């Protein structure tokens, strides 16, 4: 325990902790498939381990070891048939399922595991916890945002990860119009429902592009059809770490596009 926090427990014993180079990046709490409220119990136990219930005034006594979570990137609650992921400070409502194994295909993973269909736990492990995906999520898909005066840690949703992964695949392997003989196959459409995080998908895509040697040199142009959406997207796009330059008309846009080097 850090100095001055003698009231904290000496240790906690989570079910699983994933280490990368000796650093604990993921904490997993597992419950039996037969426990009726197993997932909510697992989330509550993770909150207890983090001492979050004390921090939020739910209990008077310290009951966790928050030092374990100083480097944790996300937390997993699972009972095999259901598995959800959240970040530090998240309540049960913000623990969400992970429903993709991209860039793999479900059939490939099922064959490797010798099963007919993947469980939610197997899908989350294959989609988030493989070496490449875990390090990729930490590097490109993790942000800190200020919402309502509170700083929160945010990790992508599965559809954002899948959309960006497919977009990068298409940009790198899609045929040009000349190669295809008909259309440029490097583009596409990512369909979002309202409130599903389309502006954050853009942020994750830009962050991913900037670390890819084949794609980092390109400009990114975002076109909107409403002023309020432009203001929202501009503010969110700053999470890429790049300055966002706005063009109010085509002449200004041409001037920005004529510059050498990447830009947003």
């Amino acid at each position: 325990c850090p100095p001055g926090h003698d009231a904290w427990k000496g240790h906690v014993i989570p079910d699983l902790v994933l280490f990368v180079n000796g650093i604990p990046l993921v904490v997993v709490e597992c419950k039996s498939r037969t426990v009726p409220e197993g997932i909510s119990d697992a989330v509550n136990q993770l909150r207890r381990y983090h001492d979050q219930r004390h921090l939020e005034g739910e209990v008077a006594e310290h009951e966790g070891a928050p030092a374990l979570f100083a480097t944790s990137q996300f937390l997993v609650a699972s009972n095999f048939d259901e598995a959800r992921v959240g970040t530090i400070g998240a309540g049960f409502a913000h623990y969400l399922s992970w429903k993709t194994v991209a860039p793999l295909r479900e059939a490939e993973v099922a064959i490797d595991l010798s099963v007919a269909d993947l469980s939610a736990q197997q899908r989350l492990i294959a989609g988030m916890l493989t070496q490449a995906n875990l390090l990729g999520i930490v590097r490109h898909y993790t942000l800190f945002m200020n919402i309502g005066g509170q700083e929160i840690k945010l990790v992508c949703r599965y559809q954002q990860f899948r959309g960006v992964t497919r977009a990068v695949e298409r940009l790198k392997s899609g045929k040009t119009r000349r190669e295809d003989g008909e259309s440029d196959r490097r583009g596409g459409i990512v369909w979002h429902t309202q409130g599903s995080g389309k502006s954050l998908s853009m942020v994750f895509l830009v962050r991913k592009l900037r670390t890819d040697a084949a794609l980092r040199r390109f400009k990114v142009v975002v076109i909107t059809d409403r002023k309020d959406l432009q203001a929202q997207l501009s503010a969110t796009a700053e999470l890429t770490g790049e300055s966002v330059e706005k063009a109010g008309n085509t002449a200004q846009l041409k001037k920005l596009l004529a510059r050498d080097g990447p830009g947003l």
Side-chain angles (χ1 to χ4, degrees), residues 32 78 88 126 140-141 168 171 173 203 207 231 250 262:
S32 169
S78 176
I88 292 295
H140 306 117
Y141 299 90
V168 171
L171 285 167
S173 63
V203 170
R207 286 163 62 100
T250 53

Side-chain angles (χ1 to χ4, degrees), residues 20-21 45 99 101 109 111 119-120 124 136 139 155 157 159 162 165 170 174 195 209 223 234 236:
V20 175
N21 291 346
Q45 196 159 338
K99 300 180 180 180
V101 296
V109 178
I111 290 172
S119 69
L124 185 146
R139 187 177 189 186
V155 171
R157 299 178 185 180
Q159 63 266 35
R162 182 171 59 195
T165 299
R170 189 78 66 85
L209 296 180
I223 303 172
S234 295
T236 307

Side-chain angles (χ1 to χ4, degrees), residues 169-188:
E169 284 178 359
R170 189 78 66 85
L171 285 167
K172 297 180 74 170
S173 63
K175 292 182 178 180
T176 64
R177 186 188 300 272
R178 178 176 295 177
E179 292 168 335
D180 182 70
E182 183 178 345
S183 299
D184 192 318
R185 303 295 180 180
R186 293 172 294 176

Side-chain angles (χ1 to χ4, degrees), residues 46-93:
L46 288 167
R47 296 176 70 245
R48 186 164 68 248
Y49 286 159
H50 180 231
D51 212 31
Q52 190 174 331
R53 302 199 313 171
H54 174 75
L55 292 171
E56 296 180 0
E58 295 178 32
V59 296
E61 301 295 325
H62 291 283
E63 56 183 4
L68 170 66
F69 297 85
T71 56
S72 176
Q73 299 303 300
F74 49 84
L75 314 175
V76 175
S78 176
N79 70 354
F80 190 77
D81 294 322
E82 187 178 0
R84 300 190 186 188
V85 60
T87 57
I88 292 295
F92 177 73

Side-chain angles (χ1 to χ4, degrees), residues 12-227:
V12 294
I13 307 176
D15 289 325
L16 293 166
V17 179
L18 275 62
F19 293 86
V20 175
N21 291 346
I23 302 170
L25 293 192
V26 183
V27 181
V28 183
E29 190 62 31
C30 301
K31 295 297 179 183
S32 169
R33 306 164 80 176
T34 60
V35 176
E37 302 295 331
I39 295 296
S40 59
D41 287 349
V43 171
N44 202 39
Q45 196 159 338
L46 288 167
R47 296 176 70 245
R48 186 164 68 248
Y49 286 159
H50 180 231
D51 212 31
Q52 190 174 331
R53 302 199 313 171
H54 174 75
L55 292 171
E56 296 180 0
E58 295 178 32
V59 296
E61 301 295 325
H62 291 283
E63 56 183 4
L68 170 66
F69 297 85
T71 56
S72 176
Q73 299 303 300
F74 49 84
L75 314 175
V76 175
S78 176
N79 70 354
F80 190 77
D81 294 322
E82 187 178 0
R84 300 190 186 188
V85 60
T87 57
I88 292 295
F92 177 73
H94 293 104
Y95 274 74
L96 303 175
S97 300
W98 189 269
K99 300 180 180 180
T100 183
V101 296
L104 300 174
R105 298 291 183 266
E106 289 229 357
E108 298 171 340
V109 178
I111 290 172
D112 287 342
L113 296 176
S114 300
V115 297
D117 299 295
L118 299 182
S119 69
Q121 176 175 289
Q122 291 167 333
R123 187 175 293 109
L124 185 146
I125 291 170
M128 295 193 83
L129 302 182
T130 59
Q131 183 183 48
N133 284 14
L134 173 57
L135 296 180
I137 290 169
V138 172
R139 187 177 189 186
H140 306 117
Y141 299 90
T142 303
L143 299 170
F144 288 90
M145 296 181 66
N146 192 294
I147 297 179
Q150 182 179 14
E151 188 174 47
I152 66 165
K153 187 171 191 171
L154 184 148
V155 171
C156 63
R157 299 178 185 180
Y158 74 91
Q159 63 266 35
Q160 294 167 327
F161 181 85
R162 182 171 59 195
V164 170
T165 299
R166 296 281 171 82
V168 171
E169 284 178 359
R170 189 78 66 85
L171 285 167
K172 297 180 74 170
S173 63
K175 292 182 178 180
T176 64
R177 186 188 300 272
R178 178 176 295 177
E179 292 168 335
D180 182 70
E182 183 178 345
S183 299
D184 192 318
R185 303 295 180 180
R186 293 172 294 176
I189 295 172
V190 181
W191 183 80
H192 286 75
T193 55
Q194 186 173 357
S196 62
K198 53 185 171 290
S199 55
L200 285 173
S201 294
M202 179 191 71
V203 170
F204 297 137
L205 176 59
V206 174
R207 286 163 62 100
K208 178 80 170 173
L209 296 180
R210 294 307 187 230
T211 59
D212 191 300
L215 300 174
R216 65 166 61 110
R217 64 188 177 88
F218 291 105
K219 289 180 173 62
V220 176
V221 180
V222 182
I223 303 172
T224 69
D225 61 354
R226 300 199 315 273
K227 289 184 177 179

